[in-house]
Amino acid sequence: MITVEEALGIVLAQVPELHPEEVRLEDAAGAYLAADVTAPYDHPLFDMSAVDGYAFRFDPVVAQWKVVDQAPAGSARSTGCPPGCCVRIFTGAQMPPDTDTVVMQEFTTRTVDIMVHSDRKLVQGGNVRRQAEQVKRGEVILRQGELLSPSAIGLLASVGVRSVPIKLAPEVAVMVTGDEFVEGDRVEPGKIFSSNGLMLEAALRVEGLLSECVHVPDEVQALDSAIEQAARFNEVVISTGGASVGDHDLVHDAVLRAGGMIHFHGVAQKPGKPMLFATVHGRPFFGLPGNPRAVLVLFYIYVLPFLRAMRGARGSGLRKERLPLAADLLLRGDRGAFRAGRLRGGAVELLAEEGSHMLRSMTEAQVIVHLPSTKRTWRTGEPVEVLHLPHHSNERLA
């Protein structure tokens, strides 16, 4: 049975190469840049006032200034401002010619057309935003693979970028297999409420991906048809359930009947030992176990990095770091483990170990802690690898 590291390497080696497309900036939120973007204009575009006040050429000797004009935002004064004169100016307005300083209106007194100020700390160039002080024309402002977050889109818009190259989001099929599930709000004897489909759809939506979810009974013909349809009309397929080796675990053979190539089936990990990864009709196929905790953990460890890499993300996995454990730990068995954790005082505290069918601790988790199969004991303060869950992090990139 392969290790977690080997399995992840195999998964990422199968990421397909997508061709970038140019899209409008307003349609690019949540995507990743497919190329570096350079600024077509400076930012700021010109010297401008940072406050409401009065603009003039700084002179420490002058005690008062004659107000000769005003400059609202959006205007551009063409004539100069003579020495000893000033212009009433507003935030964002272009600095009039022959002016270099702005005094805030809170420090001024005006009588008809004469202005005096009391700002003893004012220096030449004060309260002025200089042209190109943030970005210069021709400068690379965002790199290939960066997330087009709201702030990134705002920055691009501020320098005149109106379209960007991205790799379009793949279409994802979610298949929930099993006869035991009900989707309504009432359950019959022997049945359970279905959660995997809604959970995966939510996780994909957080990533800006839409998906189609179908429920498939444990019946050979129905499963064969569902896999065939999903692989032909989607770019990625995720199934839950039926990945083990029991009498009702049919996914392995169904993938082979569809002409698929199985890259691995079984990983030395907890949860999610029966995980399967294959290619069907050239489409990646993730066969996840049916237990919800395993489904969610394996989505974050394997599926999410794959999808981000497919979309051209510079760092595809969850953000990683090494943090000290808050308490001693002893693991039994020989499999790598993924545990839910939260951060306390710079250390990671493991939450209660739950079965692979339980999700409660995952709702409280800030991180997933990866405990490799090569180590079984940790002392308080020893570092462990933590992966920050996206709903608890401002950064989606690793």
Side-chain angles (χ1 to χ4, degrees):
M1 190 175 298
I2 64 175
T3 65
V4 169
E5 293 76 14
E6 289 170 330
L8 187 57
I10 292 170
V11 166
L12 294 180
Q14 295 298 318
V15 174
E17 183 69 28
L18 300 181
H19 295 293
E21 295 190 26
E22 194 81 11
V23 302
R24 299 184 307 167
L25 191 59
E26 54 265 41
D27 296 328
Y32 299 90
L33 280 173
D36 293 351
V37 176
T38 58
Y41 294 94
D42 293 335
H43 190 273
L45 284 163
F46 42 78
D47 290 353
M48 65 174 63
S49 177
V51 297
D52 292 349
Y54 293 85
F56 50 82
R57 179 171 291 280
F58 186 80
D59 187 338
V61 176
V62 177
Q64 63 182 27
W65 286 263
K66 181 179 180 180
V67 182
V68 295
D69 201 355
Q70 67 173 1
S75 66
R77 178 183 167 92
S78 59
T79 57
C81 182
C85 296
C86 67
V87 174
R88 177 75 168 113
I89 197 166
F90 299 89
T91 304
Q94 184 171 2
M95 291 291 289
D98 302 322
T99 66
D100 59 13
T101 304
V102 178
V103 61
M104 293 178 65
Q105 65 182 24
E106 289 88 340
F107 293 101
T108 65
T109 301
R110 179 172 173 176
T111 304
V112 189
D113 62 349
I114 299 298
M115 183 275 294
V116 296
H117 78 79
S118 59
D119 188 355
R120 299 184 181 279
K121 296 181 179 179
L122 187 66
V123 296
Q124 187 172 23
N127 300 313
V128 177
R129 299 169 183 164
R130 294 299 177 189
Q131 179 176 350
E133 69 178 14
Q134 179 180 212
V135 174
K136 294 181 180 180
R137 179 181 177 181
E139 178 184 349
V140 174
I141 49 175
L142 288 176
R143 297 287 182 184
Q144 179 179 344
E146 290 198 51
L147 173 69
L148 286 163
S149 62
S151 57
I153 286 176
L155 175 62
L156 292 173
S158 73
V159 295
V161 173
R162 286 295 175 264
S163 66
V164 288
I166 65 168
K167 295 180 179 180
L168 298 182
E171 296 179 345
V172 182
V174 175
M175 296 170 41
V176 177
T177 71
D179 297 324
E180 67 269 35
F181 300 113
V182 295
E183 298 182 57
D185 57 1
R186 294 188 179 184
V187 65
E188 301 172 8
K191 302 290 186 179
I192 60 175
F193 293 113
S194 179
S195 61
N196 285 338
L198 289 173
M199 182 171 64
L200 284 174
E201 286 184 300
L204 291 165
R205 198 174 299 117
V206 167
E207 286 295 306
L209 300 173
L210 298 178
S211 59
E212 177 186 8
C213 181
V214 296
H215 286 73
V216 187
D218 286 328
E219 194 274 318
V220 170
Q221 186 174 356
L223 185 58
D224 286 353
S225 176
I227 290 178
E228 187 75 21
Q229 289 290 108
R232 288 196 180 277
F233 295 102
N234 296 274
E235 292 166 276
V236 179
V237 182
I238 309 169
S239 74
T240 71
S244 192
V245 293
D247 292 342
H248 297 281
D249 294 310
L250 309 175
V251 171
H252 177 279
D253 290 347
V255 167
L256 293 178
R257 286 194 298 273
M261 174 183 291
I262 295 177
H263 302 293
F264 63 77
H265 187 196
V267 182
Q269 62 190 6
K270 183 181 180 181
K273 177 181 175 181
M275 177 184 173
L276 176 150
F277 178 62
T279 303
V280 181
H281 297 310
R283 309 298 195 188
F285 183 99
F286 292 88
L288 308 183
N291 285 314
R293 185 185 190 85
V295 169
L296 188 58
V297 168
L298 298 184
F299 175 84
Y300 285 134
I301 301 302
Y302 296 100
V303 184
L304 182 59
F306 184 94
L307 292 171
R308 288 182 177 177
M310 193 174 180
R311 300 174 70 193
R314 188 175 59 203
S316 57
L318 297 178
R319 183 166 64 91
K320 295 180 183 179
E321 65 177 327
R322 294 186 68 80
L323 293 174
L325 266 180
D328 291 354
L329 176 65
L330 169 64
L331 286 186
R332 302 188 185 281
D334 57 359
R335 287 185 281 164
F338 297 106
R339 293 280 300 275
R342 61 184 166 212
L343 307 180
R344 292 277 180 91
V348 59
E349 177 183 283
L350 297 183
L351 298 174
E353 185 172 13
E354 295 181 329
S356 59
H357 61 296
M358 298 180 181
L359 279 171
R360 188 159 189 171
S361 69
M362 288 298 294
T363 67
E364 303 171 8
Q366 295 171 289
V367 296
I368 293 175
V369 181
H370 176 213
L371 303 166
S373 59
T374 53
K375 186 175 174 65
R376 298 291 85 183
T377 60
W378 286 262
R379 303 292 293 177
T380 300
E382 278 196 79
V384 292
E385 181 181 80
V386 301
L387 298 93
H388 292 260
L389 292 168
H391 55 284
H392 284 286
S393 173
N394 290 327
E395 295 180 351
R396 277 169 45 185
L397 293 182

